[in-house]
Amino acid sequence: MKDTQASSTAFTVQQGMIYAGRYSQEKDAIPSNLVSLSEQIMSALPEGKKRIDQLKNPLRRGLLKLMEFTLLPGISLHYVLRKMKIEQLAHQAVDDGVEQIVVLGAGFDMLATQLAIAHSHLTCIEIDHPATSIEKRKAIDNCELGQENCELIAEDLSKHKLEDVLRNSPNFKSQAKTLYICEGVLMYLLEKDVCNILTVIKELSPMGCQFVFTALEPLKSEKNDAGLLLQMHLRSMSEGLNWMLSSDDIEEFLNKNNFLLDGTSNDAMICKELLPSVKPRHLHNGEYVVSAHGSASRA
Ligand SMILES: C[S@@+](CC[C@H](N)C(=O)[O-])C[C@H]1O[C@@H](n2cnc3c(N)ncnc32)[C@H](O)[C@@H]1O
């Protein structure tokens, strides 16, 4: 990503959700709060407003739909499905006693804010690159959605160590059972950096550490729809893919890094579970949601 510009892919995720929730065949089944919160935050940012305006224009919308069909069919609905699954896992974690949620590379996702509003005892912390985080802070302030128990940390994690960033936060609690979320980010990192995150979060939260993240099936796998066109598109946006791992191998990878797998969910599984009435024409194949625990006792 560019150092001075908010993440283009973070805007694309929100635009995809708004498309799915407002214009797709599945729109009536998609939870309206997910879409309206996204619209609220996007409307408060010039680039976000531009993305919403593109969707309002039937011609631009048609072009975006064609682009989706050509590059990654079903990706708009995928953004909704992955967010719904992560939200479900986060609520379960809170019910199971998690006291703190840390979102890495949060983009314009509003889950931490929603959880902070719903659970006043919860400490929520988001970290994102300053170029994105500062924009998001402005939007959250404009929408009057700022929460005392939700801190936005603007740090470049390629320049500052995650452990230092969190230990320097006045709000981070090292003795709290913690859920870490990293959605749509790890595939841009090198494997050694993914392993480092696993080591660091386990050390940061010795009382219990759950990690919910998304991972990408290898591009050549039958379980991934991505073609050459998409890879070229991502490279042109300076957000090339690095870490990919088959869902068949994720348990072994996690075990090697001292985590235990709770489960993985692809779009077909999430759709069946959370949107059972929806029978989409295209379901995305490639990115899947993983939940794992970093200690023998559940967080
Ligand atoms: C594809 S977006 C995903 C956003 C969000 N998690 C979602 O799924 O809606 C990737 C996010 O990682 C953040 N990111 C990329 N490089 C980063 C870095 N070096 N330090 C902190 N955040 C970074 C970007 O700013 C962006 O918000």
Side-chain angles (χ1 to χ4, degrees), residues 227-248:
L228 199 61
L229 267 179
L230 176 71
Q231 293 172 51
M232 285 160 62
H233 175 66
L234 285 166
R235 279 205 193 100
S236 72
M237 297 196 307
S238 321
E239 299 195 22
L241 301 170
N242 284 307
W243 182 66
M244 285 167 258
L245 189 63
S246 164
S247 48
D248 296 333

Side-chain angles (χ1 to χ4, degrees), residues 1 3 5-11 13-14 17 79 82-83 86 103-109 127-133 155-159 181-185 187-189 214 239 287:
M1 66 178 282
D3 254 9
Q5 257 177 29
S7 163
S8 169
T9 47
F11 279 114
V13 173
Q14 298 300 319
M17 279 171 46
Y79 296 137
R82 85 179 190 198
K83 287 198 182 291
I86 291 172
V103 186
L104 308 175
F108 299 108
D109 181 82
I127 308 173
D128 207 307
H129 191 284
T132 302
S133 187
E155 282 291 3
D156 181 347
L157 290 174
S158 66
K159 295 194 179 135
I181 298 175
C182 193
E183 178 190 4
V185 176
M187 55 288 290
Y188 300 107
L189 306 184
T214 62
E239 299 195 22
E287 191 182 22

